[in-house]
Amino acid sequence: MKKTISIMGLAFFCFFTTVAHAQENESSEPAKTENKWDPKNNPTVTAITSKYEGKILATRPALTEQDIFPAIGAYEATTNMADTKTITIALDENNKGLVWIEGLPQGTIKAMLRKSPATYKIPAQKTETGNEVAEGTLVFDKESNTLSICIGKNYNAADPLSVFSANESAGGEVAAVTKSKKTKTKQTPVLTYTATKQQKDTVSN
């Protein structure tokens, strides 16, 4: 019995000695560092981000009514304006698809947006001053900064600009010949107006 206990004691002693020695060897070895990938050390990322360091990307300003409806504003007339030389176009307060044109000889007339951003149909109407206005077309060309108005020709939905070609500046009477007699029919006068848009600083001054 004593022999068995001695053998077991010797076995436990050898086990604990081995474990202690292994722990001592592990503690004596230098700690190993883990190699983790860092995107900041990536040369491709560095090359891209270096271009934008210290730079702030400007945000686009919000669109104004002038941007959405470029036809609105003040114009200096260049043709067919005997008295006043200023034409103004303003949005209707209740309907953004409708504008009011002031400064024409006919008085204040309305026009309806038909093709964005600046092609309008002028419907046949009667002004507040009692003037009869025939159907027409209003177009603003942003590139040339030019306003074109034609009154007396029906709006052409397929090609609105066609009304500005070969227009007559004034109407008259056309004789129609029949077998029995000559009859005269009254022709609606075709009136055209052009104007150049004024800059904001010019208008404010």
Side-chain angles (χ1 to χ4, degrees):
M1 184 69 179
K2 292 181 180 181
K3 186 176 181 181
T4 302
I5 294 173
S6 299
I7 294 173
M8 291 180 63
L10 180 61
F12 277 115
F13 175 77
C14 292
F15 173 76
F16 284 116
T17 302
T18 303
V19 171
H21 182 69
Q23 291 179 348
E24 183 179 357
N25 289 339
E26 289 179 359
S27 62
S28 62
E29 292 180 358
K32 295 181 180 180
T33 57
E34 295 183 1
N35 295 327
K36 293 183 177 181
W37 181 79
D38 188 355
K40 295 181 180 179
N41 297 329
N42 188 307
T44 304
V45 175
T46 303
I48 296 173
T49 55
S50 62
K51 296 180 180 180
Y52 302 99
E53 289 181 357
K55 297 180 180 179
I56 301 176
L57 297 178
T59 57
R60 292 184 178 180
L63 293 177
T64 63
E65 281 190 340
Q66 285 277 353
D67 297 323
I68 302 172
F69 305 101
I72 62 175
Y75 297 82
E76 183 179 356
T78 56
T79 59
N80 291 341
M81 299 288 286
D83 300 324
T84 179
K85 292 293 184 181
T86 302
I87 298 174
T88 58
I89 300 176
L91 285 175
D92 184 84
E93 294 181 357
N94 301 317
N95 186 352
K96 299 298 184 182
L98 188 69
V99 295
W100 293 95
I101 310 161
E102 294 184 1
L104 294 176
Q106 295 84 353
T108 302
I109 63 177
K110 64 183 177 182
M112 301 177 294
L113 182 65
R114 282 294 175 261
K115 287 187 178 182
S116 293
T119 300
Y120 292 80
K121 173 185 176 180
I122 299 174
Q125 59 196 280
K126 190 173 184 178
T127 67
E128 292 182 355
T129 56
N131 292 328
E132 295 286 346
V133 180
E135 187 172 315
T137 304
L138 180 151
V139 176
F140 173 66
D141 186 344
K142 191 174 182 179
E143 293 184 1
S144 63
N145 207 37
T146 301
L147 175 72
S148 299
I149 299 174
C150 174
I151 297 176
K153 279 193 172 183
N154 292 340
Y155 177 81
N156 187 334
D159 185 10
L161 294 177
S162 64
V163 299
F164 296 101
S165 60
N167 274 334
E168 297 178 6
S169 59
E173 292 183 345
V174 178
V177 180
T178 63
K179 292 182 179 180
S180 59
K181 60 181 180 178
K182 293 182 179 180
T183 60
K184 292 183 178 180
T185 58
K186 191 175 182 180
Q187 185 181 24
T188 302
V190 178
L191 302 172
T192 58
Y193 306 93
T194 57
T196 303
K197 192 170 188 180
Q198 299 179 15
Q199 301 300 325
K200 289 184 179 180
D201 54 351
T202 304
V203 175
S204 61
N205 291 335

